[in-house]
Amino acid sequence: MDQLLLNSGFPILSALIFLPLIGAILLLFVKNDAICRNVALLVTAIVAILSIWLIFGFDKNSAQFQFGEHYSWIKTLNINYTIGIDGISILLILMTTFIMPFCVLASWSYIKTRIQSFMVCLLIMETAMIGVFVALDFVLFYVLWEAMLIPMYMLIAIWGGPRKIYASIKFFLYTLSGSILLLVGIIWLYTANNYSFYIPDMMWQDYSLTSQIYLFLAFFLAFAIKVPMFPFHTWLPAAHVEAPTAGSVILASILLKMGTYGFLRFALPITPEATVIMMPYVLWLSIAGIIYGGFTALAQSDMKKLIAYSSVGHMGFVTLGIFVLNINGIEGAILQMVNHGITTGALFLCVGMIYERTHSRELRSATGVGKYMPVYITFLAFFSLSSFGFPGTNSFVGEFMILAGAFQFDTALGKFPYLALAAIPGAVLAAAYMLRMLQKIIWGGTDNPDQSWITDINVREIVTLAPFLFFVFWIGLGPQPFIDLIHTSVIQLLNQFHAHQAEGMAAVSMLLN
């Protein structure tokens, strides 16, 4: 437990985990729709406000897990309730807590049936998502990882679009299939670590190379499906298109990040040698995802599909940053996880607002609305600029750091920077499909449908979008506070990774001599 700083005061992490669950239980006894909405908004807002405590209490100069809590859960199997956060997880937790109130607001008029059940699903989702990012016991992590599937499945299957059953079952089966191999890996690690599920104790151990490769493959399948990486991405467009607006925001902003978080938390520190061996394949799969996502998004006429396929490309940049294994790449990847959550979540909110008015996600149904929705178009324009990494927006900072890491990776090996240059067309494609969408929505063509009946966004919708725009410019123009929060943990991760590599090479040299 040396890696865990136990919290002797108010159990803030447990409060963040269980307050939404308590709110969900309370909602089971509330039948009034308006009260259900208000309770869900109040609970998620309280959780968001409480999470600010983490910023002020977090020691950014320490790489240890902070705000730790440790309680025995199932003694006979040595399963414990152990939680804590470090620089790799803190931004993801804050993003989760701050986005959830806006998911409630986005559903205020969008969801018209079974409102009580919908809000219960949202709150249970929040408990599971926060729990995944703070869990330090592998069984606790796995239980919460799987627990997310049921409410997300219900969000799509009950409140989704015409093909909701197909999309929900595909989402469930894809993610569950990856999780089964993850469970096998967890059980093997449990037996190899003196029957302990404590995650920090599993890191940086001298597992055999064969064991590491099998473990890495188990991790990779589970996390690559969740990201989703090309070619494991096919569940994502269907899920996004059929999900209600809040479901799409949660999927894009939070659930996808659990895959990339898994690579950082488990693949690198538990299977470092296997990571190096498999790194070239993952890097080129990332490049394939960037290019494929860009071209496929460019061909879409459905706005939700366009943004869904753009996520494949953007998350390709994140995995590229992680697996170049240098400071710029990993810090850029973590920052880009947050940036993607902000920007893509906001874009899905924008699509939902158009859908509420036109009952269509097709670009042709929204052509020329700029004349009648100037406030809406202002928000959409800035989020679109952010999506393709325009300088001054948040995504520019993350992509710049990732590309710098890719250049550094190639030059450190004495090679021409093929990797970085191969990723650059992804940024060009992003500009192409986002500007195409923006042009059609703002101006359209000479045969635009009559849009004069459409009203601009209301105060509730402005309040929903404004915080996202605030973070687009804050991170874009002043990212240092965010980088400071993650820097020490990333440095520690890389130092231990390279030290472990050096020990492995020294052992091999001794055997050869």
Side-chain angles (χ1 to χ4, degrees):
M1 290 288 177
D2 293 339
Q3 309 95 326
L4 181 65
L5 293 174
L6 291 174
N7 183 16
S8 57
F10 178 72
I12 178 66
L13 294 185
S14 287
L16 296 179
I17 293 171
F18 290 109
L19 270 176
L21 185 60
I22 293 170
I25 294 170
L26 290 175
L27 282 182
L28 295 176
F29 303 97
V30 177
K31 301 302 179 184
N32 184 277
D33 290 344
I35 295 176
C36 286
R37 292 189 184 100
N38 286 310
V39 168
L41 181 61
L42 178 64
V43 170
T44 53
I46 290 172
V47 172
I49 292 168
L50 270 178
S51 68
I52 299 174
W53 188 337
L54 299 179
I55 301 174
F56 296 106
F58 185 77
D59 182 3
K60 62 185 180 183
N61 296 313
S62 171
Q64 291 179 289
F65 292 97
Q66 302 175 41
F67 301 100
E69 299 174 44
H70 175 76
Y71 305 100
S72 180
W73 182 10
I74 305 174
K75 288 186 177 181
T76 53
L77 295 175
N78 198 17
I79 299 173
N80 301 297
Y81 174 82
T82 308
I83 56 177
I85 65 169
D86 65 352
I88 291 172
S89 56
I90 185 170
L91 288 181
L92 298 173
I93 295 163
L94 292 169
M95 181 176 67
T96 302
T97 60
F98 275 91
I99 280 178
M100 289 307 294
F102 302 106
C103 290
V104 175
L105 282 175
S107 309
W108 209 262
S109 59
Y110 187 98
I111 301 299
K112 296 179 171 60
T113 60
R114 301 184 183 181
I115 292 168
Q116 177 201 48
S117 302
F118 183 87
M119 296 303 170
V120 167
C121 286
L122 284 187
L123 293 175
I124 293 173
M125 280 289 294
E126 184 169 19
T127 284
M129 292 184 299
I130 294 172
V132 162
F133 291 130
V134 304
L136 295 179
D137 181 279
F138 233 142
V139 170
L140 178 64
F141 171 87
Y142 188 78
V143 167
L144 294 167
W145 174 275
E146 293 291 82
M148 293 181 302
L149 296 183
I150 297 173
M152 193 68 228
Y153 169 84
M154 293 176 67
L155 286 178
I156 301 171
I158 298 175
W159 296 276
R163 302 182 71 217
K164 57 189 179 183
I165 302 302
Y166 163 78
S168 58
I169 291 175
K170 190 171 185 179
F171 159 76
F172 194 92
L173 291 179
Y174 261 72
T175 48
L176 183 65
S177 61
S179 301
I180 291 171
L181 282 179
L182 177 62
L183 179 60
V184 174
I186 292 171
I187 294 170
W188 186 90
L189 285 166
Y190 170 67
T191 58
N193 285 276
N194 297 319
Y195 299 96
S196 170
F197 287 108
Y198 184 51
I199 292 169
D201 282 349
M202 298 176 178
M203 299 175 178
W204 316 117
Q205 300 297 323
D206 294 321
Y207 307 120
S208 70
L209 182 58
T210 302
S211 299
Q212 285 196 39
I213 290 173
Y214 284 128
L215 277 173
F216 182 90
L217 291 173
F219 289 154
F220 178 79
L221 188 60
F223 302 144
I225 289 172
K226 188 74 81 174
V227 170
M229 288 184 70
F230 174 87
F232 306 100
H233 66 283
T234 58
W235 65 267
L236 182 67
H240 269 315
V241 167
E242 302 305 324
T245 298
S248 293
V249 173
I250 292 170
L251 266 174
S253 298
I254 306 166
L255 257 64
L256 306 190
K257 311 309 177 298
M258 292 179 178
T260 45
Y261 171 78
F263 284 130
L264 287 168
R265 178 64 76 219
F266 305 114
L268 269 63
I270 295 178
T271 60
E273 281 90 358
T275 297
V276 173
I277 291 170
M278 305 302 292
M279 174 178 59
Y281 306 103
V282 181
L283 289 174
W284 287 108
L285 277 178
S286 301
I287 296 295
I290 292 169
I291 304 301
Y292 169 85
F295 275 117
T296 313
L298 191 59
Q300 301 305 314
S301 60
D302 183 310
M303 289 182 282
K304 263 197 170 184
K305 274 190 178 180
L306 187 153
I307 300 168
Y309 279 111
S310 78
S311 291
V312 176
H314 291 314
M315 295 306 290
F317 273 104
V318 175
T319 52
L320 176 68
I322 290 172
F323 283 91
V324 294
L325 300 174
N326 56 45
I327 186 71
N328 280 326
I330 293 181
E331 286 189 350
I334 296 173
L335 197 59
Q336 196 65 359
M337 290 186 219
V338 177
N339 294 336
H340 179 265
I342 293 167
T343 301
T344 306
L347 285 170
F348 276 119
L349 289 173
C350 289
V351 173
M353 292 170 187
I354 281 289
Y355 182 80
E356 285 191 62
R357 288 158 171 80
T358 65
H359 303 290
S360 173
R361 296 181 299 267
E362 292 294 321
L363 274 171
R364 64 176 178 269
S365 300
T367 52
V369 302
K371 180 179 179 181
Y372 307 102
M373 301 181 71
V375 178
Y376 170 82
I377 289 302
T378 302
F379 281 107
L380 181 65
F382 283 121
F383 295 137
S384 299
L385 292 173
S386 170
S387 184
F388 66 80
F390 192 80
T393 63
N394 55 341
S395 297
F396 173 77
V397 180
E399 286 189 10
F400 181 87
M401 293 177 71
I402 290 168
L403 289 173
F407 271 102
Q408 183 182 339
F409 173 82
D410 282 328
T411 53
L413 296 175
K415 299 192 303 183
F416 185 79
Y418 293 109
L419 194 66
L421 291 176
I424 289 174
V428 178
L429 287 167
Y433 59 70
M434 292 310 301
L435 290 176
R436 169 180 167 267
M437 181 187 79
L438 204 57
Q439 186 276 331
K440 285 182 176 294
I441 292 176
I442 297 176
W443 294 291
T446 57
D447 57 346
N448 294 342
D450 178 24
Q451 308 283 23
S452 58
W453 56 272
I454 292 181
T455 57
D456 209 344
I457 55 176
N458 56 38
V459 173
R460 173 182 58 81
E461 291 168 322
I462 292 172
V463 169
T464 303
L465 292 177
F468 290 85
L469 188 60
F470 173 75
F471 281 101
V472 163
F473 286 115
W474 184 8
I475 300 175
L477 299 173
Q480 196 59 49
F482 300 88
I483 296 173
D484 288 343
L485 283 173
I486 66 179
H487 183 72
T488 302
S489 291
V490 173
I491 288 289
Q492 176 76 355
L493 173 67
L494 285 171
N495 286 344
Q496 289 182 300
F497 186 89
H498 294 310
H500 196 86
Q501 289 298 113
E503 289 175 7
M505 290 301 294
V508 170
S509 298
M510 288 179 63
L511 288 172
L512 292 176
N513 293 331

